Every structure is written in structure tokens, then in C-alpha cells.
Amino acid sequence: MVTAERLDLTLLCDDEGNSVRITVLGPLQGVAGGLSAEIVVDTPFVAGRVALSLWRSRLNSWAEALDRLEAGEDIAWLHVQRGPSLYIHLNGERGCPEVVVEDDLVSMTTVRVPIDLPDAWIATHRELLAAVLEAWDGHLSQE
């Protein structure tokens, strides 16, 4: 049974008030097997949000991105598809990880957020992904 509860797919945040979050909002209107989500950036300097559509293939590619991050590689998630892109640089310009959200299609805006992530953040994100897949498995198309 599909739940109407919002679920975070990502929650990248630190004690300085910087965060980048992707929240699954529910079924994507008019598109079978898709999910509506949003990327929310919130810092003491800038705040914004952008809509994001998710399918099983995008969630699978997020799992692969987590594998690459765990192996010490930077990632670019959704960068070749329509809609916003998310980049994570493990060693950003300020000596901590850096999250870049790029919305070339709609707002033509890029936001770069340094985030001092806790040690277990990748494991936490695997748990968030598993919770999203469990809650929405029956709704998601197989592609």
C-alpha cells in the first residue's frame, strides 16, 4: 500500500545550518510509476527549492552513486537527464564535502553548499533510500 507520508531520500546537513534535502512528496501526477519530489536547499545565506521527478531507474542510480561515494569518488547524479542535477564533491573548496544543485532547465541557477557531513552519512542515506523503495515499491514502474 502506498503511503501519503513524505519521505526524505537525502538529508545532507551540518551544524552550521547548511542543508540539501530531497523529499519524496507522492505519486507524480499524470505519469504512471513516477514519484514527485523536491530538492530543498537551505543555508543562512540562500534558500530555494526545485521540483524533481523520480522513477525506479533514478533511485537505482542513486544507489550506485552512494556506492561510488563510499569508494571515495565524487558523483554527478541526474546530470544527463532533464531536470535538476546533484553533484557531491567529497573534498570541496572549504575543506569539507560540497553539494552542488544545478537547475539549468528552469531557473538556470546553480547553488554550491559546503556541508560538514557526519561520518556515517552514506549508511544513513542507504537507509533513507531503502525506506523510500519500501514505501513506494508497489507504485514504481519497473523501469
Side-chain angles (χ1 to χ4, degrees):
M1 182 75 166
V2 172
T3 178
E5 181 182 347
R6 293 175 173 228
L7 292 172
D8 286 331
L9 176 63
T10 69
L11 181 53
L12 303 160
C13 60
D14 64 19
D15 293 339
E16 302 297 319
N18 295 322
S19 69
V20 176
R21 182 180 75 242
I22 299 175
T23 303
V24 175
L25 305 173
L28 187 58
Q29 297 298 316
V31 180
L35 296 173
S36 175
E38 66 181 354
I39 301 174
V40 179
V41 175
D42 190 19
T43 77
F45 178 68
V46 65
R49 66 185 61 232
V50 62
L52 175 67
S53 301
L54 296 173
W55 293 271
R56 186 178 304 277
S57 61
R58 288 184 169 187
L59 295 172
N60 291 340
S61 72
W62 177 240
E64 293 167 4
L66 290 172
D67 290 343
R68 289 193 313 276
L69 287 163
E70 190 169 53
E73 299 175 33
D74 294 345
I75 61 106
W77 186 52
L78 306 177
H79 69 287
V80 295
Q81 301 177 8
R82 290 183 51 116
S85 300
L86 181 82
Y87 303 86
I88 299 177
H89 306 284
L90 295 173
N91 296 304
E93 294 177 10
R94 296 198 167 42
C96 66
E98 183 175 73
V99 179
V100 179
V101 178
E102 196 171 86
D103 179 32
D104 285 340
L105 188 63
V106 178
S107 69
M108 295 178 280
T109 301
T110 300
V111 178
R112 184 176 308 271
V113 183
I115 301 178
D116 189 16
L117 296 168
D119 290 338
W121 72 275
I122 294 174
T124 299
H125 282 80
R126 289 187 196 284
E127 293 170 6
L128 292 172
L129 174 59
V132 167
L133 289 170
E134 181 179 337
W136 294 103
D137 187 56
H139 175 77
L140 290 164
S141 65
Q142 291 305 311
E143 297 181 18

PDB file of all heavy atoms in Angstrom, residues 31-35 53-61 81 133 136-143:
ATOM      1  N   VAL A  31       1.694  10.692 -14.541  1.00  0.00           N
ATOM      2  CA  VAL A  31       2.765   9.819 -15.012  1.00  0.00           C
ATOM      3  C   VAL A  31       2.744   8.538 -14.182  1.00  0.00           C
ATOM      4  O   VAL A  31       3.082   8.544 -13.005  1.00  0.00           O
ATOM      5  CB  VAL A  31       4.155  10.495 -14.895  1.00  0.00           C
ATOM      6  CG1 VAL A  31       5.245   9.552 -15.389  1.00  0.00           C
ATOM      7  CG2 VAL A  31       4.185  11.812 -15.645  1.00  0.00           C
ATOM      8  N   ALA A  32       2.331   7.460 -14.814  1.00  0.00           N
ATOM      9  CA  ALA A  32       2.264   6.184 -14.099  1.00  0.00           C
ATOM     10  C   ALA A  32       3.650   5.741 -13.674  1.00  0.00           C
ATOM     11  O   ALA A  32       4.610   5.816 -14.448  1.00  0.00           O
ATOM     12  CB  ALA A  32       1.629   5.119 -14.991  1.00  0.00           C
ATOM     13  N   GLY A  33       3.763   5.290 -12.444  1.00  0.00           N
ATOM     14  CA  GLY A  33       5.011   4.723 -11.955  1.00  0.00           C
ATOM     15  C   GLY A  33       6.057   5.720 -11.521  1.00  0.00           C
ATOM     16  O   GLY A  33       7.168   5.337 -11.176  1.00  0.00           O
ATOM     17  N   GLY A  34       5.730   7.004 -11.516  1.00  0.00           N
ATOM     18  CA  GLY A  34       6.698   8.024 -11.116  1.00  0.00           C
ATOM     19  C   GLY A  34       6.356   8.643  -9.783  1.00  0.00           C
ATOM     20  O   GLY A  34       5.229   8.530  -9.291  1.00  0.00           O
ATOM     21  N   LEU A  35       7.331   9.296  -9.191  1.00  0.00           N
ATOM     22  CA  LEU A  35       7.147   9.974  -7.921  1.00  0.00           C
ATOM     23  C   LEU A  35       7.491  11.454  -8.063  1.00  0.00           C
ATOM     24  O   LEU A  35       8.439  11.814  -8.757  1.00  0.00           O
ATOM     25  CB  LEU A  35       8.048   9.367  -6.841  1.00  0.00           C
ATOM     26  CG  LEU A  35       7.779   7.924  -6.454  1.00  0.00           C
ATOM     27  CD1 LEU A  35       8.863   7.422  -5.510  1.00  0.00           C
ATOM     28  CD2 LEU A  35       6.404   7.802  -5.808  1.00  0.00           C
ATOM     29  N   SER A  53      11.359  14.824 -10.586  1.00  0.00           N
ATOM     30  CA  SER A  53      10.596  13.606 -10.843  1.00  0.00           C
ATOM     31  C   SER A  53      11.507  12.404 -10.649  1.00  0.00           C
ATOM     32  O   SER A  53      12.660  12.424 -11.075  1.00  0.00           O
ATOM     33  CB  SER A  53      10.055  13.604 -12.279  1.00  0.00           C
ATOM     34  OG  SER A  53       9.219  14.721 -12.486  1.00  0.00           O
ATOM     35  N   LEU A  54      10.983  11.379 -10.000  1.00  0.00           N
ATOM     36  CA  LEU A  54      11.764  10.177  -9.728  1.00  0.00           C
ATOM     37  C   LEU A  54      11.071   8.948 -10.282  1.00  0.00           C
ATOM     38  O   LEU A  54       9.843   8.850 -10.235  1.00  0.00           O
ATOM     39  CB  LEU A  54      11.966   9.988  -8.217  1.00  0.00           C
ATOM     40  CG  LEU A  54      12.770  11.060  -7.496  1.00  0.00           C
ATOM     41  CD1 LEU A  54      12.725  10.827  -5.994  1.00  0.00           C
ATOM     42  CD2 LEU A  54      14.207  11.083  -7.999  1.00  0.00           C
ATOM     43  N   TRP A  55      11.880   8.019 -10.793  1.00  0.00           N
ATOM     44  CA  TRP A  55      11.440   6.714 -11.218  1.00  0.00           C
ATOM     45  C   TRP A  55      12.369   5.699 -10.597  1.00  0.00           C
ATOM     46  O   TRP A  55      13.407   6.065 -10.047  1.00  0.00           O
ATOM     47  CB  TRP A  55      11.496   6.605 -12.748  1.00  0.00           C
ATOM     48  CG  TRP A  55      10.516   7.496 -13.422  1.00  0.00           C
ATOM     49  CD1 TRP A  55       9.226   7.205 -13.745  1.00  0.00           C
ATOM     50  CD2 TRP A  55      10.736   8.844 -13.846  1.00  0.00           C
ATOM     51  NE1 TRP A  55       8.637   8.293 -14.337  1.00  0.00           N
ATOM     52  CE2 TRP A  55       9.537   9.316 -14.410  1.00  0.00           C
ATOM     53  CE3 TRP A  55      11.837   9.709 -13.787  1.00  0.00           C
ATOM     54  CZ2 TRP A  55       9.403  10.596 -14.928  1.00  0.00           C
ATOM     55  CZ3 TRP A  55      11.696  10.990 -14.289  1.00  0.00           C
ATOM     56  CH2 TRP A  55      10.494  11.409 -14.855  1.00  0.00           C
ATOM     57  N   ARG A  56      12.039   4.445 -10.729  1.00  0.00           N
ATOM     58  CA  ARG A  56      12.890   3.392 -10.178  1.00  0.00           C
ATOM     59  C   ARG A  56      14.325   3.510 -10.705  1.00  0.00           C
ATOM     60  O   ARG A  56      15.281   3.356  -9.954  1.00  0.00           O
ATOM     61  CB  ARG A  56      12.312   2.007 -10.491  1.00  0.00           C
ATOM     62  CG  ARG A  56      13.088   0.872  -9.826  1.00  0.00           C
ATOM     63  CD  ARG A  56      12.464  -0.478 -10.100  1.00  0.00           C
ATOM     64  NE  ARG A  56      11.081  -0.566  -9.703  1.00  0.00           N
ATOM     65  CZ  ARG A  56      10.652  -0.831  -8.463  1.00  0.00           C
ATOM     66  NH1 ARG A  56      11.525  -1.014  -7.496  1.00  0.00           N
ATOM     67  NH2 ARG A  56       9.369  -0.915  -8.200  1.00  0.00           N
ATOM     68  N   SER A  57      14.481   3.811 -11.985  1.00  0.00           N
ATOM     69  CA  SER A  57      15.833   3.903 -12.554  1.00  0.00           C
ATOM     70  C   SER A  57      16.636   5.018 -11.892  1.00  0.00           C
ATOM     71  O   SER A  57      17.845   4.867 -11.670  1.00  0.00           O
ATOM     72  CB  SER A  57      15.766   4.131 -14.066  1.00  0.00           C
ATOM     73  OG  SER A  57      15.101   5.343 -14.357  1.00  0.00           O
ATOM     74  N   ARG A  58      16.007   6.115 -11.553  1.00  0.00           N
ATOM     75  CA  ARG A  58      16.717   7.203 -10.875  1.00  0.00           C
ATOM     76  C   ARG A  58      17.084   6.810  -9.445  1.00  0.00           C
ATOM     77  O   ARG A  58      18.142   7.167  -8.949  1.00  0.00           O
ATOM     78  CB  ARG A  58      15.889   8.480 -10.881  1.00  0.00           C
ATOM     79  CG  ARG A  58      15.829   9.118 -12.253  1.00  0.00           C
ATOM     80  CD  ARG A  58      15.106  10.423 -12.250  1.00  0.00           C
ATOM     81  NE  ARG A  58      15.309  11.085 -13.533  1.00  0.00           N
ATOM     82  CZ  ARG A  58      14.906  12.303 -13.796  1.00  0.00           C
ATOM     83  NH1 ARG A  58      14.285  13.015 -12.867  1.00  0.00           N
ATOM     84  NH2 ARG A  58      15.123  12.834 -14.982  1.00  0.00           N
ATOM     85  N   LEU A  59      16.199   6.077  -8.781  1.00  0.00           N
ATOM     86  CA  LEU A  59      16.512   5.603  -7.432  1.00  0.00           C
ATOM     87  C   LEU A  59      17.642   4.575  -7.478  1.00  0.00           C
ATOM     88  O   LEU A  59      18.528   4.579  -6.620  1.00  0.00           O
ATOM     89  CB  LEU A  59      15.264   5.033  -6.763  1.00  0.00           C
ATOM     90  CG  LEU A  59      14.156   6.074  -6.499  1.00  0.00           C
ATOM     91  CD1 LEU A  59      12.891   5.387  -6.013  1.00  0.00           C
ATOM     92  CD2 LEU A  59      14.619   7.141  -5.536  1.00  0.00           C
ATOM     93  N   ASN A  60      17.634   3.716  -8.496  1.00  0.00           N
ATOM     94  CA  ASN A  60      18.737   2.763  -8.666  1.00  0.00           C
ATOM     95  C   ASN A  60      20.056   3.487  -8.932  1.00  0.00           C
ATOM     96  O   ASN A  60      21.106   3.085  -8.425  1.00  0.00           O
ATOM     97  CB  ASN A  60      18.437   1.772  -9.787  1.00  0.00           C
ATOM     98  CG  ASN A  60      17.325   0.804  -9.434  1.00  0.00           C
ATOM     99  OD1 ASN A  60      17.011   0.607  -8.263  1.00  0.00           O
ATOM    100  ND2 ASN A  60      16.715   0.217 -10.440  1.00  0.00           N
ATOM    101  N   SER A  61      20.006   4.559  -9.714  1.00  0.00           N
ATOM    102  CA  SER A  61      21.236   5.301  -9.981  1.00  0.00           C
ATOM    103  C   SER A  61      21.710   6.043  -8.728  1.00  0.00           C
ATOM    104  O   SER A  61      22.913   6.255  -8.554  1.00  0.00           O
ATOM    105  CB  SER A  61      21.075   6.258 -11.175  1.00  0.00           C
ATOM    106  OG  SER A  61      20.260   7.351 -10.850  1.00  0.00           O
ATOM    107  N   GLN A  81      20.150  14.093 -17.620  1.00  0.00           N
ATOM    108  CA  GLN A  81      18.710  13.964 -17.827  1.00  0.00           C
ATOM    109  C   GLN A  81      18.038  15.322 -17.677  1.00  0.00           C
ATOM    110  O   GLN A  81      18.625  16.269 -17.163  1.00  0.00           O
ATOM    111  CB  GLN A  81      18.140  12.957 -16.829  1.00  0.00           C
ATOM    112  CG  GLN A  81      18.772  11.591 -16.977  1.00  0.00           C
ATOM    113  CD  GLN A  81      18.262  10.604 -15.937  1.00  0.00           C
ATOM    114  OE1 GLN A  81      17.341  10.873 -15.204  1.00  0.00           O
ATOM    115  NE2 GLN A  81      18.896   9.454 -15.879  1.00  0.00           N
ATOM    116  N   LEU A 133      12.119   3.085  -1.157  1.00  0.00           N
ATOM    117  CA  LEU A 133      11.799   1.932  -2.007  1.00  0.00           C
ATOM    118  C   LEU A 133      10.748   1.043  -1.362  1.00  0.00           C
ATOM    119  O   LEU A 133       9.842   0.542  -2.046  1.00  0.00           O
ATOM    120  CB  LEU A 133      13.062   1.141  -2.323  1.00  0.00           C
ATOM    121  CG  LEU A 133      14.031   1.818  -3.286  1.00  0.00           C
ATOM    122  CD1 LEU A 133      15.352   1.074  -3.335  1.00  0.00           C
ATOM    123  CD2 LEU A 133      13.420   1.954  -4.678  1.00  0.00           C
ATOM    124  N   TRP A 136       7.257   2.899  -1.548  1.00  0.00           N
ATOM    125  CA  TRP A 136       6.715   3.179  -2.879  1.00  0.00           C
ATOM    126  C   TRP A 136       6.926   2.054  -3.885  1.00  0.00           C
ATOM    127  O   TRP A 136       6.631   2.224  -5.062  1.00  0.00           O
ATOM    128  CB  TRP A 136       7.321   4.480  -3.404  1.00  0.00           C
ATOM    129  CG  TRP A 136       6.880   5.651  -2.597  1.00  0.00           C
ATOM    130  CD1 TRP A 136       7.598   6.321  -1.657  1.00  0.00           C
ATOM    131  CD2 TRP A 136       5.620   6.298  -2.654  1.00  0.00           C
ATOM    132  NE1 TRP A 136       6.862   7.332  -1.119  1.00  0.00           N
ATOM    133  CE2 TRP A 136       5.641   7.343  -1.721  1.00  0.00           C
ATOM    134  CE3 TRP A 136       4.454   6.089  -3.406  1.00  0.00           C
ATOM    135  CZ2 TRP A 136       4.553   8.184  -1.510  1.00  0.00           C
ATOM    136  CZ3 TRP A 136       3.364   6.925  -3.195  1.00  0.00           C
ATOM    137  CH2 TRP A 136       3.422   7.961  -2.263  1.00  0.00           C
ATOM    138  N   ASP A 137       7.416   0.896  -3.471  1.00  0.00           N
ATOM    139  CA  ASP A 137       7.725  -0.189  -4.386  1.00  0.00           C
ATOM    140  C   ASP A 137       6.538  -0.582  -5.266  1.00  0.00           C
ATOM    141  O   ASP A 137       6.699  -0.775  -6.470  1.00  0.00           O
ATOM    142  CB  ASP A 137       8.238  -1.419  -3.623  1.00  0.00           C
ATOM    143  CG  ASP A 137       8.725  -2.495  -4.565  1.00  0.00           C
ATOM    144  OD1 ASP A 137       9.610  -2.198  -5.385  1.00  0.00           O
ATOM    145  OD2 ASP A 137       8.183  -3.620  -4.495  1.00  0.00           O
ATOM    146  N   GLY A 138       5.370  -0.683  -4.705  1.00  0.00           N
ATOM    147  CA  GLY A 138       4.194  -1.061  -5.478  1.00  0.00           C
ATOM    148  C   GLY A 138       3.753  -0.038  -6.493  1.00  0.00           C
ATOM    149  O   GLY A 138       3.074  -0.340  -7.464  1.00  0.00           O
ATOM    150  N   HIS A 139       4.140   1.198  -6.294  1.00  0.00           N
ATOM    151  CA  HIS A 139       3.761   2.285  -7.205  1.00  0.00           C
ATOM    152  C   HIS A 139       4.762   2.461  -8.349  1.00  0.00           C
ATOM    153  O   HIS A 139       4.383   2.827  -9.455  1.00  0.00           O
ATOM    154  CB  HIS A 139       3.643   3.608  -6.425  1.00  0.00           C
ATOM    155  CG  HIS A 139       3.378   4.786  -7.297  1.00  0.00           C
ATOM    156  ND1 HIS A 139       2.147   5.046  -7.822  1.00  0.00           N
ATOM    157  CD2 HIS A 139       4.209   5.745  -7.772  1.00  0.00           C
ATOM    158  CE1 HIS A 139       2.215   6.134  -8.571  1.00  0.00           C
ATOM    159  NE2 HIS A 139       3.462   6.566  -8.554  1.00  0.00           N
ATOM    160  N   LEU A 140       6.034   2.226  -8.078  1.00  0.00           N
ATOM    161  CA  LEU A 140       7.082   2.483  -9.059  1.00  0.00           C
ATOM    162  C   LEU A 140       7.014   1.503 -10.228  1.00  0.00           C
ATOM    163  O   LEU A 140       6.845   0.313 -10.026  1.00  0.00           O
ATOM    164  CB  LEU A 140       8.455   2.375  -8.413  1.00  0.00           C
ATOM    165  CG  LEU A 140       8.811   3.496  -7.434  1.00  0.00           C
ATOM    166  CD1 LEU A 140       9.998   3.085  -6.586  1.00  0.00           C
ATOM    167  CD2 LEU A 140       9.102   4.777  -8.184  1.00  0.00           C
ATOM    168  N   SER A 141       7.191   2.039 -11.437  1.00  0.00           N
ATOM    169  CA  SER A 141       7.279   1.164 -12.603  1.00  0.00           C
ATOM    170  C   SER A 141       8.591   0.395 -12.519  1.00  0.00           C
ATOM    171  O   SER A 141       9.515   0.783 -11.808  1.00  0.00           O
ATOM    172  CB  SER A 141       7.213   1.973 -13.891  1.00  0.00           C
ATOM    173  OG  SER A 141       8.350   2.807 -13.990  1.00  0.00           O
ATOM    174  N   GLN A 142       8.711  -0.668 -13.288  1.00  0.00           N
ATOM    175  CA  GLN A 142       9.920  -1.498 -13.238  1.00  0.00           C
ATOM    176  C   GLN A 142      11.098  -0.869 -13.962  1.00  0.00           C
ATOM    177  O   GLN A 142      12.211  -1.326 -13.833  1.00  0.00           O
ATOM    178  CB  GLN A 142       9.632  -2.894 -13.823  1.00  0.00           C
ATOM    179  CG  GLN A 142       8.706  -3.702 -12.950  1.00  0.00           C
ATOM    180  CD  GLN A 142       9.230  -3.830 -11.520  1.00  0.00           C
ATOM    181  OE1 GLN A 142      10.380  -4.164 -11.295  1.00  0.00           O
ATOM    182  NE2 GLN A 142       8.374  -3.558 -10.548  1.00  0.00           N
ATOM    183  N   GLU A 143      10.875   0.158 -14.724  1.00  0.00           N
ATOM    184  CA  GLU A 143      11.969   0.827 -15.462  1.00  0.00           C
ATOM    185  C   GLU A 143      12.573   1.948 -14.674  1.00  0.00           C
ATOM    186  O   GLU A 143      12.048   2.534 -13.833  1.00  0.00           O
ATOM    187  CB  GLU A 143      11.452   1.334 -16.797  1.00  0.00           C
ATOM    188  CG  GLU A 143      10.990   0.193 -17.668  1.00  0.00           C
ATOM    189  CD  GLU A 143      10.489   0.672 -19.010  1.00  0.00           C
ATOM    190  OE1 GLU A 143      10.790   1.802 -19.405  1.00  0.00           O
ATOM    191  OE2 GLU A 143       9.803  -0.098 -19.658  1.00  0.00           O
TER     192      GLU A 143
END
